[in-house]
Amino acid sequence: MTRVTATVITFNEAANLPAALASLSFADEIVVVDSESTDDTVAIARQHTDKVFVRPWPGYVAQKNFAAEQASHDW
């Protein structure tokens, strides 16, 4: 069976992140890349995965590409 990684980019999504990550329970791995949130986004993400990265926002494409580079499987 093919393994899959879900990638999520975030910024101040504490209110929405629990449901979003719960909806990804099918994934073998979840990668979250946060753009220096000022709320509890990072703490919530760390409750769901150990692959949480915090970095400045370089733009949508660059952030999604960084997330894909962290994935162990197809995303």
Side-chain angles (χ1 to χ4, degrees):
M1 178 181 272
T2 302
R3 297 181 63 113
V4 65
T5 297
T7 62
V8 180
I9 59 174
T10 59
F11 178 70
N12 288 342
E13 289 292 339
N16 301 313
L17 195 57
L21 294 177
S23 75
L24 298 174
S25 63
F26 68 89
D28 298 297
E29 174 183 64
I30 299 173
V31 172
V32 176
V33 179
D34 182 74
S35 300
E36 300 178 320
S37 289
T38 57
D39 64 4
D40 290 330
T41 297
V42 173
I44 293 166
R46 288 188 173 135
Q47 292 173 359
H48 294 267
T49 180
D50 59 345
K51 293 197 99 173
V52 178
F53 303 88
V54 178
R55 64 194 299 257
W57 178 253
Y60 180 84
V61 173
Q63 200 76 321
K64 285 299 279 186
N65 286 340
F66 177 82
E69 290 168 4
Q70 308 316 306
S72 301
H73 315 294
D74 287 340
W75 49 275

